[in-house]
Amino acid sequence: MRYTELFKSIIDILFYALCLGLLVLLFLGPLGLNSMAQENKLIQEWDVISWLILAISTLAYILLIIGVKYLKNVAGIMTKSISFGPSVQINLKKSGKSLIFSSLLNYLTFALVFVKQLTINVPVEITFDNNLLLQIFITIIGLYFIIQSDILKMSYNLKQENDLTI
């Protein structure tokens, strides 16, 4: 039970930190956003691809928050009782899908940055950095949640069948 409460606490902290980050991006970003990681120019000098990268990155961030919110729901259910009913399965599957879509959008931003580097004749750098590793890890976690949801659904159905057997 101690680990379940720790799990819920960490998920809560992560969720609220991500929400705070989104609020900072939405409200303080336009006031003082001078550059982003993929750009070395001021915001006034951005082209269409730069704005597209920002929009896709923001959408990916929102999907990440949604995925963590579903995981927060699972943690809340688990702290009340250690049952793996339909609500846990549904929330795990939704969390996994949100995390995977978030990662896919981030892969798209990596591709757009690469294409942009090709079009503006900047020396192309192909790197395997922590950002890409993090997206691969989030994709794996999302797939794991979907698989875990399916396993929980099968075991719940099997339990229901056995409960009905007299």
Side-chain angles (χ1 to χ4, degrees), residues 84-86 88-94 96-97 100 142-158:
F84 296 103
V88 172
Q89 301 158 19
I90 291 168
N91 282 309
L92 267 179
K93 186 166 281 222
K94 287 181 179 179
K97 287 180 180 180
I100 289 172
L143 288 170
Y144 176 77
F145 286 162
I146 291 172
I147 292 167
Q148 190 67 27
S149 170
D150 291 340
I151 290 170
L152 288 175
K153 184 177 182 179
M154 287 186 299
S155 62
Y156 182 78
N157 290 339
L158 187 62

Side-chain angles (χ1 to χ4, degrees), residues 14-43:
L14 176 64
F15 176 74
Y16 293 120
L18 289 172
C19 288
L20 179 65
L22 182 63
L23 289 175
V24 167
L25 176 70
L26 293 177
F27 293 113
L28 298 180
L31 300 176
L33 186 64
N34 293 326
S35 65
M36 66 179 178
Q38 293 87 3
E39 281 293 333
N40 293 325
K41 299 184 219 172
L42 294 175
I43 194 169

